[in-house]
Each structure stands twice: as structure tokens, then as C-alpha cells.
Amino acid sequence: MLARVKSGALVGVDAVVVEVEVDMSLGMPLFSVVGLPDGAVKESKVRVVSALKNAGYVLPQKRITVNLAPADLKKEGATFELPLALGVLAAAGQLEARALGPWLVGGELSLDGAVKPIRGVLPLAIAARDGGFRGVIVPHGNAVEASLVDRIDVVAVSTVKEAVMHLTGEAPLEPFRRGAAPGQGEQHVTEQLDFAEVRGQDDAKAALEIAAAGGHNVLLCGPPGSGKTMLARRMNTILPAMTFAEALEVTKVYSVLGLLSEGRGLVSQRPFRAPHHTISDAGLVGGGPMTRPGELSMAHRGVLFLDELPEFRRNVLEVLRQPLEEGVVRLARANHHVTYPCEVMLVAAMNPCPCGLYNVPDRICRCPSLRVREYHARISGPLLDRIDITLETRPVAVESITRLSLEPRTSAWYRARVEEARERQAHRFRHFPGIFCNAQMGPALLRRFGATPERARKMLEQAVRSFGLSARAHDRILKLARTRADLEGREQITEADVGFAINCRALDRKDYFEADTQPDRDPHAWSSLEADG
């Protein structure tokens, strides 16, 4: 007898519907699985037989053949064990095959018949909704995750016997219901980190505020102990809360990686990822033997912090070019292509030279000039070109360090201003799906919303010629100027906004290494060109 059960296989962060065909026929007792299964799927037949036996079901001594279609798609993981068990029972005549039709099924089995949580349930539930299925039958530990998807029924089971009794109508289960509406299941947690804890560095705080308002990439360059890492780790505290659509995208990535703890639903906090500089290129952008998302995708809709940027291997940094530009990672393999989302804010930090004292007031750098240039050359021009704000931090004055009181401006103060600027951008881009902030504007939108007065246009032209900036840098300067205008509540970009944005590109200007290290003559101090505070 032939029975069919629908399940799903993960491709990137999406699920593809897989038909599990189970045929039971006369012959020597044998359980074979075909359809490009990996080792875990091949081993599942042993767990399925033991789980059904221990759950009280008696299987006939017949030949069992299982086909996983489409046959050219590789099947991985333990997702197919519960569908296999139900399909075997249907093929044996102990379960009505028609009852399996409206459901997508997924779950791992224990030898005693218990159903254990799996990864990738959220994409499976989305595939069920988009495919017109009635709902999903999933482990109880994944029920909250699956219930984030609307317009489908989520049946949560703890044992294979519960699933069978539900399908036969002997003991039907009620669809799982969350206790709160989408986006309300996890309240915003007050952060333990706060900008008020950072002493001094007012210019750096203002730059990070603008970066958060427009989704711009930032590079902090300064001596050790000037607060670069401290500032970067507080970036999340001033970012606006995620919308439900953004949170669902982030949750899909963590669901595919199996990083959602049991009973956890929506990921409501923006991710902050800070990989060590020894990470590989596959660990950063994804791939590897199992083709999993990397740190870049785990930071989707959040912050990717790369501390000690020049210490990362060159090939690791170079793979960031296309993802930072397009917002997606495209991995091509011999037999398949995978796409992962990676709309991130890149925040990086570095010392100005190997000793950390180059161009630092009142300190002497003993690094040879050639060594300083080689240190900066570890970051390629094309990558530096994709960073909107390159900011030099200065040592904090001792008076600021010893002051007992905190800074008056907290993360909540900065976040309120950032949210106001994001609301202006949301209204501006309301007719352009997928555009959430100024950093995502393409050339057409930039021409439409990045108009500048004549004097500002001439200033920008002169800066591009004088500093040797690229066409990409030209566009990113306009985007940054647009964000500054939004943050100040202006509809039109002013000359001061353009001047500010030009001054935010310190490290990729061709005159950077000609800087005078005297503090009163330093042409690259970030605050020197800030026009109106």
C-alpha cells in the first residue's frame, strides 16, 4: 500500500515542500530510504521502527520503501522522522491516508515515541501557509515558533501516539494559541548598557546617533582605551524597535540555525553579533559543509561589530563587499544556490597604527611611516568605500574619567531622536516596499530625495575632486546628509549637512597620511567641519 505525507526541507532560510512517499509491499523485511537523504535521514529509519514499536504499534513484516521527492534536493536533519512514522502507519493500514493530506509534518523521534523539537519550524509554517495547507503538525517545543504565522492551524504533539490519535479523530487536539498577539509576546527589556556610561566622546556619540538614524556603516579609529568598543556595544540601545515583519525575518534565521530555545517565539531584540577576528569567511557570510547562515545573517536587521578590523584575514573582509551593498548573501555551489538575508549595520573599530598612537595629540608614534600605511592597507579601498562614517576618536580627558556623575544624555534620549528620524523615513518610503532607511536608497531614490542647494552641490564636487573620492562615496555622502537633515527635522538638505557628511569620510581621503599630529592643526578631527552643532 502507498501513503503520502508532506514535510519540508530547508533551502537557505526558506522551506521547500517535500513529499514523503511510503510504499509497503511483500518481500524480505527491509527499510530503505531514497531521494538524496543525508546520514541523519538514513539513520532515521532505525529510530522510526523503535519509536513505533515502543509506542504500541505492530508493523507487518514487509518491505518498506521511502522516497523523498523532489529527488534532486538534498534532505538533511531529523525533520522527516515524524512524517516517516505517520507514513509507515498509513501504508500499514493503521491510519487513514487521506487524513494526512491537509498537513505539513515535521518532528524528531525518540526511541520511546516522544517527539523532540527541530530547527526550521518557522519556515515550515510559512511554507504551509503559502502552499494552501490547513496547518502544521510539529513538536510541542516548537509550537510558539510556528504560531507566529497566521491563517494556519498549529497542532502541537508530544508523542507519535498523540499525532495518530489526532489524525484518526480518536482524541483531536485543539490548535495551539499564543497568549499574546504577534509582536507582543516579548516585551522590550531595559538594556543594562547605556550611552550615559560613556565619558566624553560627544562627537562619536553624535556620529553613532546619525548612523542609527539612517542605517549607515561606521568605522571607529582611535588609540587603545578611547572607548571604541564601549561605544559600539551600546549601539543597539539607540536603535528603534523592530517591526513585526523585521522580527519575523530575524526569527527565521535563528530558527534555521536551531538557536531558538524551547518555547521561545519571536526574536524581538535587534541582534548584535561580535565575531572574533579569527573567524573564517564561511563563518562570517555562511556556507560550509551544511551550508548554514553565518554571523552576517545572524546580525540581520541588527549590528555586526568587527573589533580590531585590520586583524581579520584579508579574504574574510573581502567577502563582505557584495553583501554590504546588496543586503543579501548569495552562495553558489555545484548543485544548488542559496540566498541569506543580511541587512546589517556594520560597526568596526581599529587602532590608527600597530602601536595605536599615530596622529594622537601629545603622544609619540614610533611606527615607521611605511608600517602605518601597510597597517591601513589591510582594509581594502573597496571595503572602506562602503563605510559611510570613518571617525577618529580621541583619548578621553582625565577630568571626564574621574567625574562621578553620568553623562546627561542617555540611550533613551538618543533613541527617541532616532525613532523620530526613522518615522520621517518610513513616511518618505511608504510607497517603496523593502526600503526602511536612507542607507537602503538606490540611485533612483537618491536622485528623488537627495536634492541639494547649488552651493552644497559645488562643495560636494570639490570634495570628490580634492580628496579622490569615488562615485559610491559621492552617493553615500548624500545619503548621510539626508539622514542628518531628517535627524534635525528638516525637509531639505542644507550646505551644513553636506559639509558634515564630507567630513565623516576621514580614512578614505587621499590626504589622510598628510595629517599634522598637532591637536590645534589637525585637519581631520571630526568636529572641525561640523557646521551647526
Side-chain angles (χ1 to χ4, degrees):
M1 183 177 177
L2 179 64
R4 291 184 174 88
V5 188
K6 299 294 197 308
S7 186
L10 292 174
V11 178
V13 294
D14 298 313
V16 176
V17 176
V18 171
E19 187 173 58
V20 180
E21 299 178 311
V22 182
D23 179 65
M24 188 172 291
S25 58
L26 295 176
M28 290 290 293
L30 180 66
F31 198 135
S32 58
V33 181
V34 298
L36 213 59
D38 72 344
V41 179
K42 291 178 181 178
E43 292 175 353
S44 63
K45 59 188 179 184
V46 180
R47 289 188 289 272
V48 167
V49 172
S50 296
L52 291 177
K53 177 183 176 181
N54 292 324
Y57 297 100
V58 179
L59 298 179
Q61 296 297 306
K62 293 185 178 181
R63 183 185 183 94
I64 301 174
T65 304
V66 177
N67 178 46
L68 305 176
D72 59 346
L73 178 66
K74 188 173 183 179
K75 322 301 187 305
E76 300 175 342
T79 303
F80 302 100
E81 293 180 8
L82 181 58
L84 273 174
L86 297 178
V88 168
L89 291 177
Q94 301 181 41
L95 175 64
E96 182 63 45
R98 290 181 298 178
L100 298 168
W103 305 95
L104 279 190
V105 187
E108 179 181 351
L109 294 180
S110 294
L111 296 183
D112 61 354
V115 181
K116 301 168 68 174
I118 56 174
R119 62 184 181 90
V121 165
L122 181 56
L124 184 70
I126 293 174
R129 180 194 62 189
D130 297 343
F133 290 86
R134 176 181 171 183
V136 293
I137 299 177
V138 295
H140 199 277
N142 297 122
V144 176
E145 176 186 346
S147 64
L148 296 173
V149 182
D150 56 358
R151 304 196 307 273
I152 62 169
D153 291 338
V154 176
V155 175
V157 296
S158 299
T159 64
V160 66
K161 196 173 188 66
E162 280 188 9
V164 173
M165 294 176 70
H166 170 76
L167 292 169
T168 59
E170 184 178 348
L173 299 172
E174 290 293 325
F176 182 86
R177 293 286 182 265
R178 286 189 318 275
Q184 297 178 355
E186 297 180 14
Q187 299 299 322
H188 187 76
V189 179
T190 302
E191 297 87 357
Q192 295 180 353
L193 304 176
D194 198 286
F195 260 37
E197 300 167 342
V198 182
R199 305 304 176 93
Q201 301 296 3
D202 293 334
D203 292 340
K205 293 177 184 177
L208 293 181
E209 177 191 37
I210 293 177
H216 302 286
N217 301 324
V218 184
L219 173 59
L220 303 173
C221 179
S226 60
K228 304 184 297 294
T229 302
M230 193 174 185
L231 285 163
R233 290 193 175 277
R234 285 155 178 77
M235 192 69 185
N236 260 21
T237 67
I238 66 173
L239 289 173
M242 288 193 293
T243 64
F244 178 71
E246 290 178 312
L248 199 63
E249 293 176 5
V250 175
T251 307
K252 280 180 65 177
V253 176
Y254 282 75
S255 173
V256 167
L257 289 169
L259 297 179
L260 294 178
S261 57
E262 185 173 344
R264 184 183 180 186
L266 202 65
V267 177
S268 59
Q269 301 293 317
R270 289 191 182 272
F272 180 91
R273 305 296 302 182
H276 193 259
H277 62 259
T278 56
I279 192 173
S280 66
D281 51 357
L284 186 61
V285 300
M290 304 294 287
T291 319
R292 301 286 178 80
E295 290 285 339
L296 191 60
S297 296
M298 294 173 69
H300 181 56
R301 301 298 181 192
V303 175
L304 176 68
F305 176 46
L306 302 183
D307 202 1
E308 302 295 345
L309 187 65
E311 303 302 326
F312 285 79
R313 291 193 291 270
R314 181 68 175 258
N315 67 301
V316 174
L317 293 180
E318 292 309 296
V319 297
L320 288 174
R321 292 189 194 178
Q322 175 265 336
L324 289 179
E325 196 76 18
E326 298 185 11
V328 294
V329 176
R330 306 181 193 278
L331 299 178
R333 298 294 181 261
N335 56 353
H336 67 284
H337 292 70
V338 179
T339 301
Y340 298 126
C342 62
E343 287 284 355
V344 303
M345 276 187 60
L346 174 64
V347 180
M350 63 177 289
N351 294 328
C353 67
C355 78
L357 300 179
Y358 178 75
N359 202 22
V360 177
D362 302 323
R363 301 296 296 273
I364 298 176
C365 172
R366 302 191 181 278
C367 299
S369 176
L370 179 60
R371 190 179 180 194
V372 175
R373 292 177 182 270
E374 289 176 346
Y375 186 75
H376 280 261
R378 297 180 186 179
I379 308 170
S380 68
L383 178 60
L384 200 60
D385 211 28
R386 289 164 168 81
I387 298 177
D388 306 279
I389 300 175
T390 54
L391 167 69
E392 291 184 280
T393 59
R394 296 299 184 187
V396 182
V398 65
E399 295 81 5
S400 298
I401 299 174
T402 57
R403 189 172 63 245
L404 295 179
S405 60
L406 294 177
E407 297 291 339
R409 292 180 177 177
T410 64
S411 290
W413 185 88
Y414 285 105
R415 188 193 302 126
R417 285 169 48 84
V418 168
E419 288 176 345
E420 290 179 4
R422 287 288 183 109
E423 288 174 2
R424 295 187 183 97
Q425 295 168 51
H427 178 74
R428 179 183 303 129
F429 303 131
R430 63 190 183 279
H431 301 306
F432 303 95
I435 305 296
F436 297 97
C437 56
N438 289 332
Q440 295 176 305
M441 284 193 294
L445 289 180
L446 189 59
R447 286 194 299 270
R448 180 171 178 177
F449 300 117
T452 58
E454 182 66 20
R455 288 187 60 187
R457 185 181 62 81
K458 290 182 178 179
M459 177 194 298
L460 181 54
E461 291 177 354
Q462 180 62 30
V464 171
R465 285 194 293 265
S466 300
F467 300 144
L469 301 178
S470 67
R472 181 185 288 111
H474 170 276
D475 287 355
R476 288 183 175 269
I477 287 172
L478 285 180
K479 293 177 185 179
L480 191 60
R482 175 69 269 173
T483 299
R484 188 172 188 268
D486 289 337
L487 198 61
E488 299 300 327
R490 292 190 294 266
E491 289 296 328
Q492 299 297 324
I493 299 175
T494 65
E495 185 179 352
D497 297 326
V498 174
F500 168 89
I502 293 171
N503 196 46
C504 283
R505 303 196 69 91
L507 299 186
D508 58 347
R509 285 157 46 165
K510 67 181 182 181
D511 64 341
Y512 173 74
F513 292 103
E514 301 170 6
D516 190 333
T517 58
Q518 297 301 317
D520 57 343
R521 298 181 58 191
D522 183 4
H524 301 299
W526 179 82
S527 59
S528 63
L529 288 181
E530 188 175 8
D532 59 353

